[in-house]
Amino acid sequence: MGRWEPNARGRLEQAALELYVERGYEQTPVAEITKRAGLTERTFFRHFADKREVLFGGSGRLEELCAGAVAAAPAAATPMEAAVAALDAAAGVFEERGDLVRLRQSVIDANAELRERELIKLASLSGALADALRDRGVPDLTARLTAEAAIAVLKVAFGCWIHGPGKRTLRQLVGECVDALGAAVAGEPA
Amino acid sequence: MGRWEPNARGRLEQAALELYVERGYEQTPVAEITKRAGLTERTFFRHFADKREVLFGGSGRLEELCAGAVAAAPAAATPMEAAVAALDAAAGVFEERGDLVRLRQSVIDANAELRERELIKLASLSGALADALRDRGVPDLTARLTAEAAIAVLKVAFGCWIHGPGKRTLRQLVGECVDALGAAVAGEPA
DNA sequence: GCCGCTCATGACAGTGGCTGCCCTCGCGTA
DNA sequence: TACGCGAGGGCAGCCACTGTCATGAGCGGC
């Protein structure tokens, strides 16, 4: 037993999500979060760069997971196939924690600042994917475009998964979006 | 001659860009901008929702331009062709004001908050493109994916145009990126 | 068994982004 | 002439975030 309760960071994350759900992000001062977590405001900002970041603690691990999936794809896989392997890995993580993901997303969708933060996390993920593709010897332009296309698929598939009727799994939706993107880019008429 | 100098909004935009270039975004308090523009802080926030927004005044017009280009594309054009027409229109605007665009982009690239704001403007543009495509009768999923793909192309082509050797026009780069994206999504090996 | 180091947290003051509220005053209009 | 409108000013205040110093449990070294 230490001088303080353990897992301060985790307590802050949980208290923040709870309060953002209960009152909304904007109506929740950081002081409220730290009060619920039994800590001080100063400590919050030692663990998280800002009030938004507390919702995005897992983004680093997600990047690593996706980059690992690209690296682990068969040598014969095309760049797009390797990127889709990363999306499948990410989809698995989301589906495991479906309820938490939906709760978190409802908070993000309700606030513009949080949507901004989500977009920069996706952009960072796109960069990580592009790096991993380059490590496979994919040329720079192809790597960047493939990564951006993969993120586009993830955005759209994730949106369908969250807001749609919920009959299909996220992995299935990713597959459908990849096909639909292929058809659209190949110039199929509407 | 009114009670005040005319074009307060424009003066604020110009003063802000100048100061962001001279000292950097973070080192420029809003009070400095308003001092240079001969106004008060309160007035700044009447014209712009926040300190970032002053750099993004043109985004609304860009959306309208792109949506108009999609609407104006030939009826026989595929969704992707209509979206590329929008990118060409946008590229034309950027190329007209090349120096200003580069200056502005150097400020944005230097600051994470501004990059976030840029991303949400691009996401908003993607939404406007998707709406315009739906108005052409394009199915929802195809519209969203086509719009996201177009934004991906714009991001990559714009990056090449800004940071590259500068021999090719932005329109040429857009064309090359569209082709490269087509090849990547079609599953060409690296 | 004490010494001193580390390191997570507390305490507190300060900066600056942003807002609400009320005031000012030139202008167009009845 | 009177009146309202609208752009801007003034001011108090909230809150996100930071710099700085203090505190005190755990812990290895001796």
Side-chain angles (χ1 to χ4, degrees):
Chain A
M1 238 317 233
R3 178 176 174 194
W4 297 281
E5 297 299 310
N7 195 23
R9 186 184 174 95
R11 271 152 50 216
L12 287 169
E13 286 174 341
Q14 186 179 342
L17 180 58
E18 287 172 9
L19 284 163
Y20 291 171
V21 168
E22 290 170 21
R23 316 190 185 175
Y25 169 81
E26 282 173 13
Q27 283 64 48
T28 306
V30 172
E32 283 297 313
I33 300 170
T34 55
K35 201 169 102 183
R36 183 169 295 197
L39 293 163
T40 65
E41 220 175 314
R42 193 67 189 83
T43 299
F44 181 96
F45 290 105
R46 286 206 182 85
H47 284 280
F48 304 101
D50 57 47
K51 192 185 161 187
R52 297 163 276 292
E53 200 65 16
V54 69
L55 280 179
F56 295 89
S59 67
R61 263 165 296 157
L62 186 65
E63 275 188 28
E64 288 166 25
L65 178 74
C66 289
V70 168
T78 64
M80 198 63 202
E81 285 166 354
V84 170
L87 296 186
D88 278 340
V93 170
F94 291 145
E95 288 181 323
E96 270 175 31
R97 329 199 168 110
D99 290 346
L100 182 63
V101 168
R102 277 164 209 276
L103 201 61
R104 195 190 86 119
Q105 198 61 33
S106 72
V107 173
I108 293 171
D109 288 345
N111 180 270
E113 287 181 40
L114 293 173
R115 287 197 300 272
E116 284 189 352
R117 181 56 50 87
E118 183 185 34
L119 288 174
I120 212 166
K121 294 297 183 186
L122 286 172
S124 173
L125 178 54
S126 172
L129 283 180
D131 287 344
L133 287 168
R134 270 187 290 264
D135 286 346
R136 290 172 63 92
V138 178
D140 179 62
L141 195 70
T142 303
R144 278 195 275 172
L145 284 165
T146 304
E148 288 287 342
I151 297 300
V153 164
L154 182 61
K155 274 190 201 174
V156 173
F158 186 80
C160 293
W161 184 61
I162 291 279
H163 300 111
K167 297 198 176 179
R168 282 163 295 179
T169 68
L170 181 51
R171 292 173 105 104
Q172 287 173 325
L173 288 163
V174 164
E176 290 172 29
C177 285
V178 168
D179 293 344
L181 177 64
V185 172
E188 285 193 10
Chain B
M1 230 338 220
R3 181 176 171 193
W4 296 281
E5 297 299 310
N7 195 23
R9 186 183 174 94
R11 272 150 52 214
L12 286 168
E13 285 174 341
Q14 186 179 344
L17 180 59
E18 286 172 11
L19 284 162
Y20 291 170
V21 168
E22 289 170 21
R23 316 188 184 176
Y25 169 81
E26 282 172 14
Q27 283 65 48
T28 305
V30 173
E32 282 297 313
I33 300 170
T34 55
K35 201 168 101 185
R36 183 168 296 196
L39 294 162
T40 67
E41 220 175 314
R42 194 67 191 83
T43 299
F44 181 96
F45 290 106
R46 284 207 184 85
H47 284 279
F48 304 101
D50 57 46
K51 193 185 159 187
R52 296 163 276 292
E53 200 65 16
V54 68
L55 281 178
F56 296 90
S59 67
R61 265 165 295 157
L62 186 64
E63 275 187 29
E64 289 166 24
L65 178 74
C66 289
V70 168
T78 65
M80 197 63 202
E81 284 166 352
V84 170
L87 296 186
D88 278 340
V93 170
F94 292 145
E95 287 181 324
E96 270 175 31
R97 326 194 169 108
D99 290 346
L100 182 63
V101 169
R102 277 164 208 277
L103 200 61
R104 195 190 86 118
Q105 198 61 32
S106 71
V107 172
I108 293 172
D109 288 345
N111 180 270
E113 287 181 39
L114 294 173
R115 287 197 300 271
E116 284 189 350
R117 181 57 49 87
E118 183 185 34
L119 288 174
I120 212 165
K121 294 297 183 187
L122 287 172
S124 172
L125 178 54
S126 172
L129 284 179
D131 287 343
L133 287 168
R134 270 186 291 264
D135 286 345
R136 291 173 62 93
V138 178
D140 179 62
L141 195 71
T142 303
R144 277 195 276 171
L145 284 164
T146 304
E148 287 287 343
I151 297 300
V153 163
L154 181 61
K155 274 189 201 175
V156 173
F158 186 79
C160 292
W161 183 60
I162 290 281
H163 299 111
K167 298 197 174 177
R168 282 163 295 178
T169 67
L170 180 50
R171 291 173 107 103
Q172 288 174 324
L173 288 162
V174 164
E176 290 172 29
C177 285
V178 169
D179 292 343
L181 177 64
V185 172
E188 287 194 7

